[in-house]
Amino acid sequence: MNALIQESNVDAREPVLDTVDRVSELCFGLFMALTFVGTVSAATAGADAGQKMLYTALGCNLAWGLADALMFLVRTLTNRGRRLTLALAIRSAPDAAAGRRVLRDALPKFMRSLVSDEDLDSIRLKLAAATNLPDRPRLARDDYVGALAIFVIIVLSTFPVALPFIVFSDVPTALLVSRILTLVMLFCGGLALGRHAGWGGWKAGLGMVIFGVLLTMAIVALGG
């Protein structure tokens, strides 16, 4: 709906990935790798323990990176289809009042009382005059770039967690380094989210670290 309000081209694309998307995918990859490394480190010993942990975590994140990238494309196509359906419903409304109702119902609840009929009429008239509405929702090059970026972020997030087990032969030392790197990355992710949202960056960073620790403990306890 935001894209529809901003411009009459309902097929217009948002930025490939925003700060929330990038940090969310990074944290998802970290959590997946961390739970696998923790599980394998407790059950694996020997000279090749580090390689086993790296390959296990990497294989997990390769699979989930692919799944998440494909779901990003599905979500993008679905949202674009909803915008197109909304635009067509507004254009086919029998009168101005009906068109305004369709637009107002599509707004988030907190915005419905803030937008006047005149504002809605401006959008409705732009849509009525638009000549570039697509016949169906489509994926574009930037969408595939976004899916690839999600896949790469999730896969790359494996290495700070699992690589210490290749660098250090002592598993307890490698596990300590892995956890420290994970906490640093979680803090940086929270810091970025806090600044993006206008909160206190340091508080958001610490909050993300606490959240990450508790979530990882819950995932492990539930058998993840």
Side-chain angles (χ1 to χ4, degrees):
M1 184 60 196
N2 290 338
L4 188 61
I5 294 174
Q6 291 170 359
E7 50 186 308
S8 60
N9 182 6
V10 296
D11 203 36
R13 291 179 293 278
E14 301 291 337
V16 174
L17 289 178
D18 61 17
T19 301
V20 178
D21 291 327
R22 291 193 294 269
V23 174
S24 297
E25 297 300 338
L26 175 65
C27 291
F28 176 75
L30 285 173
F31 295 144
M32 292 299 298
L34 192 61
T35 52
F36 267 79
V37 164
T39 302
V40 176
S41 65
T44 305
D48 61 344
Q51 291 185 354
K52 288 181 180 178
M53 277 181 273
L54 175 61
Y55 294 152
T56 301
L58 184 59
C60 167
N61 276 6
L62 281 170
W64 280 107
L66 177 61
D68 212 20
L70 291 176
M71 288 309 301
F72 169 80
L73 295 177
V74 171
R75 183 172 67 251
T76 299
L77 192 62
T78 301
N79 288 338
R80 198 161 293 156
R82 289 183 62 210
R83 292 207 302 264
L84 178 59
T85 300
L86 174 60
L88 295 175
I90 293 169
R91 292 184 67 167
S92 61
D95 52 46
R100 287 195 297 269
R101 282 197 299 272
V102 173
L103 262 176
R104 193 176 295 279
D105 288 343
L107 288 170
K109 289 184 178 180
F110 76 93
M111 289 185 61
R112 292 176 186 174
S113 62
L114 304 177
V115 180
S116 66
D117 286 347
E118 290 75 14
D119 294 329
L120 295 177
D121 270 331
S122 176
I123 299 170
R124 183 182 61 81
L125 292 173
K126 287 181 180 180
L127 284 172
T131 59
N132 55 352
L133 289 180
D135 56 347
R136 60 184 178 83
R138 294 182 176 87
L139 293 173
R141 182 186 65 85
D142 284 353
D143 302 320
Y144 295 104
V145 172
L148 178 61
I150 287 174
F151 177 78
V152 170
I153 290 172
I154 291 178
V155 172
L156 290 181
S157 66
T158 307
F159 293 97
V161 179
L163 202 58
F165 294 93
I166 298 295
V167 177
F168 300 97
S169 58
D170 181 58
V171 172
T173 301
L175 189 59
L176 176 62
V177 174
S178 172
R179 288 172 175 170
I180 291 174
L181 290 176
T182 301
L183 293 177
V184 170
M185 293 187 69
L186 286 174
F187 177 82
C188 292
L191 188 70
L193 284 179
R195 290 177 175 176
H196 177 73
W199 308 332
W202 289 93
K203 292 181 180 179
L206 292 174
M208 180 62 77
V209 170
I210 296 171
F211 170 76
V213 170
L214 294 177
L215 180 60
T216 302
M217 292 172 60
I219 292 172
V220 173
L222 291 171

